[in-house]
Amino acid sequence: MRGPADERRIRQVMEALGHAAKRTVHVYLVGGTTAVLLGWRRSTIDVDLVMRPEDESLLRAIPAMKERLHVNVEFASPADFIPVPKGWEDRSPFIAQVGRVSFHHFDLYAQALAKVERGHRQDVADVAEMIARGLIDPDRALAYFARLEPELFRFPAIDPPAFRHAVEEVFRR
């Protein structure tokens, strides 16, 4: 059985990915993984990530790494759930370089808005923590939402008026 991923386990995943990469890859960490590494959560259930470009050697290494480290690794990002404006890679804060892998936190504004859209208690608490720590600015989050709002039609599971209302509730306090 795999357990929660604390900072030590997440760093072990980063080391393992860094050693497995045969070419330059950028790995963007997401959600609870970001929360743990930035210090407001002790652990997360999954190490959620996205890699660019996809690297076959890393993809092949992940199943054995998951078993060896007893950690869940999932491919997930805000772009799976909400429209994310182009250039998110450039807005993704650098964490560390391990071997040929450069690790980043996926665009924090995209993460915050995806959490608001999902609306779970933990997600809303994470966004409040991101604001409190100065990682995101509410006015910039509202502007970011305005940039992605015209593309919401691409995500039929989203109710645009409900999403707008949730964004305004969280960021207009």
Side-chain angles (χ1 to χ4, degrees):
M1 174 142 184
R2 297 182 187 122
D6 59 9
E7 183 175 357
R8 180 182 61 81
R9 275 197 172 141
I10 293 168
R11 298 269 179 204
Q12 288 174 330
V13 167
M14 292 168 65
E15 286 291 323
L17 292 173
H19 294 301
K22 303 292 187 231
R23 65 181 177 146
T24 301
V25 178
H26 295 273
V27 171
Y28 301 89
L29 302 175
V30 181
T33 309
T34 289
V36 171
L37 291 178
L38 292 178
W40 72 83
R41 277 208 236 160
R42 294 179 56 88
S43 65
T44 186
I45 295 171
D46 300 316
V47 176
D48 291 333
L49 59 86
V50 175
M51 73 175 76
R52 296 286 188 270
E54 248 185 27
D55 182 73
E56 189 172 321
S57 59
L58 289 183
L59 292 171
R60 291 182 181 280
I62 288 173
M65 179 198 65
K66 287 169 50 174
E67 294 305 317
R68 185 176 74 253
L69 298 176
H70 305 286
V71 67
N72 293 316
V73 175
E74 299 290 335
F75 296 109
S77 81
D80 297 328
F81 305 101
I82 65 169
V84 175
K86 290 181 194 253
W88 62 265
E89 298 93 339
D90 297 330
R91 296 187 301 272
S92 297
F94 178 76
I95 302 167
Q97 181 80 31
V98 181
R100 294 181 175 197
V101 180
S102 175
F103 291 91
H104 305 262
H105 294 292
F106 196 101
D107 178 351
L108 297 176
Y109 286 90
Q111 287 197 54
L113 287 167
K115 286 175 174 290
V116 169
E117 196 286 320
R118 192 163 71 169
H120 296 149
R121 184 179 302 127
Q122 182 65 63
D123 292 324
V124 174
D126 284 346
V127 174
E129 197 62 43
M130 293 169 90
I131 293 168
R133 290 171 179 258
L135 298 169
I136 59 172
D137 173 74
D139 291 334
R140 284 187 63 198
L142 289 166
Y144 194 108
F145 178 76
R147 287 177 58 201
L148 67 82
E149 192 172 23
E151 298 298 315
L152 289 176
F153 72 93
R154 297 180 184 283
F155 293 79
I158 295 176
D159 176 358
F163 189 16
R164 170 171 274 292
H165 177 75
V167 166
E168 289 173 350
E169 284 289 311
V170 170
F171 295 112
R172 289 199 193 264
R173 294 180 180 205

